[in-house]
Amino acid sequence: MSDLLERLRAGLPPETLITDPDVTASYAHDMASFCEAGAPAVVVLPRTVEQVQHVMRTATALRVPVVPQGARTGLSGAANASDGCVVLSLVRMDRILEISPVDRIAVVEPGVVNAVLSRAVDEHGLYYPPDPSSWETCTIGGNIGTASGGLCCVKYGVTAEYVLGLDVVLADGRLLTTGRRTAKGVAGYDLTRLFVGSEGTLGIVVKAVLALRPRPPRQLVLAAEFPSADAACDAVCRIMERGHTPSLLELMDRTTVRAVNALASMGLPETTEALLLCAFDTPDPAADLAAVGALCTAAGATGVVPADDPAESELLLQARRLALTALEAVNSATMIDDVCVPRSQLGAMLAGTAAIAEEYGLTIGVCAHAGDGNTHPTVCFDQADPDESRRARASFDAIMALGLELGGTITGEHGVGLLKKEWLARELGDTGLALQRSVKAAFDPLNLLNPGKLF
């Protein structure tokens, strides 16, 4: 411990190091339930690439594990500390280095907050689409580490599709540059994509080149009430089958709607079994919403209400963004699942989740990025009740098993971390898991970068 601190201090300003155990404990974990966290030996908050390199060279020399962190808004335990590790928090590397309207790129450090970047590029008439629900606090580095998504994925895709290039500090302190600034480029293996979603296990991202789009028109939103989740999922399938490209297509089940009303008095219709929100940012969104409204009615919607203006639309979207916060208020704790299934299986996923909630005697609310099949079943439970906690964990596993049975994946945007290690192995199979471990070993032969995560 003393040798570690002495070597770190030799290359770092005093203000970058935190050793007070009462303070370092606050950096021990992200927002996931049922994930163990250790006590870090030290927390380092670098401001420069050279400082990150010094940390990694020191860690390699002393064989000390390093756990990289952003804002710790993750939900899988990927940012959890291990005993005696160096926590490397990148939140102070928060500069937007460049915004180029001609090249339609932004160059940023990893600690830039998603919403800050979005507002900055908006001033140039540009748009950075990935928008996780935690966009006001989550960082670009964390978004890259977990390959995060958001509400707009159905039209614009996820973080991986916007990362053109990276600067990465490797486990031994070397600096690697991957990718490009150009609109096209296929030289060599796509190492950039390899780092996206690697959860800090392959290297430390210290700079990112991000693709931008022209700012779209303000979107308009339609809300449709359904007498069953199955009918709402049928509407989703009809919308996609007819070739519509909504900028957002979100679903909230009855439990979620009531939770949002209880938290924020949003006035959502509590008689509904499922509420579908559909948005378009096209030149004539009203016409698109009318066409989708007709499809919702044909699927059995009991009410279809298009917003008249962007302000009313934003109110509806605020209700959706509050969904997870509202479900957290239902009981003392939550486990938030992140199972993505083919759109055609969305109805079966929701029906199966409802059956699991009944089987285990738990409240499980579901909100979903319905347009891309990404569901977020949220298990609400009393963490002070050992039996209820046991049932919550068992129901979580049952939901993931259901997702795999339906041809889906255990995570669409939250990542694996500690929470889903067992399930990653099941999804990949023996050969896939062995190859992924080989990739990890090539980049981090001493297993110092976020050890114990993923597999």
Side-chain angles (χ1 to χ4, degrees):
M1 173 70 169
S2 59
D3 193 14
L4 171 65
L5 293 178
E6 183 178 340
R7 294 201 187 195
L8 288 174
R9 287 179 179 132
L12 297 173
E15 66 272 13
T16 64
L17 293 168
I18 300 175
T19 57
D20 183 338
D22 291 334
V23 180
T24 59
S26 67
Y27 288 83
H29 57 84
D30 61 18
M31 297 177 68
S33 300
F34 293 104
C35 291
E36 293 184 358
V42 59
V43 173
V44 182
L45 294 104
R47 290 190 180 274
T48 68
V49 174
E50 292 74 19
Q51 289 170 6
V52 175
Q53 290 181 285
H54 176 69
V55 170
M56 293 313 307
R57 290 179 185 128
T58 300
T60 294
L62 298 178
R63 305 298 195 264
V64 176
V66 175
V67 176
Q69 290 183 348
R72 291 178 287 114
T73 57
L75 294 162
S76 68
N80 283 17
S82 55
D83 284 333
C85 77
V86 174
V87 162
L88 187 60
S89 174
L90 299 157
V91 294
R92 291 183 182 172
M93 295 181 69
D94 60 356
R95 294 180 299 161
I96 298 174
L97 302 172
E98 179 185 354
I99 296 173
S100 171
V102 173
D103 294 327
R104 292 183 182 172
I105 62 169
V107 183
V108 304
E109 291 183 326
V112 172
V113 171
N114 185 294
V116 171
L117 175 63
S118 295
R119 294 180 183 121
V121 302
D122 182 73
E123 293 177 5
H124 296 266
L126 297 169
Y127 177 43
Y128 180 66
D131 61 341
S133 294
S134 57
W135 76 306
E136 291 282 4
T137 52
C138 66
T139 62
I140 295 298
N143 294 170
I144 292 170
T146 58
S148 60
L151 304 185
C152 69
C153 297
V154 62
K155 180 174 182 177
Y156 292 105
V158 296
T159 296
E161 295 166 66
Y162 294 88
V163 183
L164 297 178
L166 296 170
D167 278 7
V168 182
V169 174
L170 299 176
D172 59 7
R174 288 179 296 164
L175 182 64
L176 170 70
T177 297
T178 75
R180 63 195 193 279
R181 292 172 55 101
T182 55
K184 296 164 62 179
V186 293
Y189 293 130
D190 192 348
L191 295 182
T192 303
R193 278 286 187 118
L194 185 60
F195 282 105
V196 179
S198 64
E199 301 185 25
T201 62
L202 301 180
I204 312 294
V205 172
V206 290
K207 187 170 74 174
V209 181
L210 305 174
L212 304 174
R213 289 177 177 251
R215 182 177 58 212
R218 293 286 298 274
Q219 62 185 358
L220 288 182
V221 178
L222 171 148
E225 303 174 48
F226 290 88
S228 69
D230 193 58
C233 293
D234 179 35
V236 170
C237 292
R238 291 174 187 239
I239 292 166
M240 302 309 292
E241 184 181 26
R242 294 294 179 89
H244 293 286
T245 309
S247 54
L248 171 148
L249 190 54
E250 297 288 307
L251 184 147
M252 300 162 65
D253 72 354
R254 177 179 62 178
T255 299
T256 306
V257 167
R258 292 182 175 181
V260 170
N261 278 342
L263 178 71
S265 301
M266 296 293 291
L268 299 176
E270 295 203 358
T271 55
T272 185
E273 291 295 318
L275 185 68
L276 193 65
L277 301 178
C278 181
F280 284 91
D281 57 6
T282 52
D284 187 7
D288 291 311
L289 290 182
V292 164
L295 292 175
C296 289
T297 299
T302 55
V304 176
V305 182
D308 292 327
D309 55 48
E312 187 179 353
S313 295
E314 187 54 38
L315 263 179
L316 290 170
L317 295 185
Q318 182 62 19
R320 170 59 185 89
R321 291 192 182 104
L322 284 173
L324 295 182
T325 302
L327 288 168
E328 288 172 352
V330 170
N331 213 324
S332 66
T334 57
M335 286 193 74
I336 302 172
D337 226 319
D338 173 37
V339 175
C340 191
V341 296
R343 295 187 196 100
S344 57
Q345 297 297 322
L346 189 60
M349 184 69 206
L350 266 68
T353 300
I356 290 168
E358 184 175 352
E359 177 184 353
Y360 288 93
L362 295 165
T363 297
I364 302 179
V366 180
C367 54
H369 307 308
D372 47 24
N374 195 175
T375 67
H376 295 307
T378 303
V379 184
C380 307
F381 65 100
D382 182 358
Q383 60 185 345
D385 183 333
D387 181 65
E388 194 162 307
S389 295
R390 177 193 60 78
R391 285 183 281 124
R393 181 64 210 230
S395 71
F396 181 90
D397 289 341
I399 290 168
M400 282 197 287
L402 172 65
L404 291 181
E405 289 168 11
L406 295 174
T409 176
I410 61 167
T411 177
E413 56 188 8
H414 291 173
V416 175
L418 291 169
L419 191 60
K420 298 184 177 181
K421 288 170 58 175
E422 173 191 350
W423 290 97
L424 179 66
R426 295 192 194 189
E427 180 171 332
L428 294 178
D430 292 342
T431 301
L433 190 63
L435 284 172
Q436 297 226 1
R437 285 174 171 159
S438 296
V439 171
K440 163 74 169 169
F443 281 87
D444 181 20
L446 298 177
N447 193 30
L448 298 179
L449 283 168
N450 218 6
K453 312 297 167 54
L454 294 177
F455 36 74

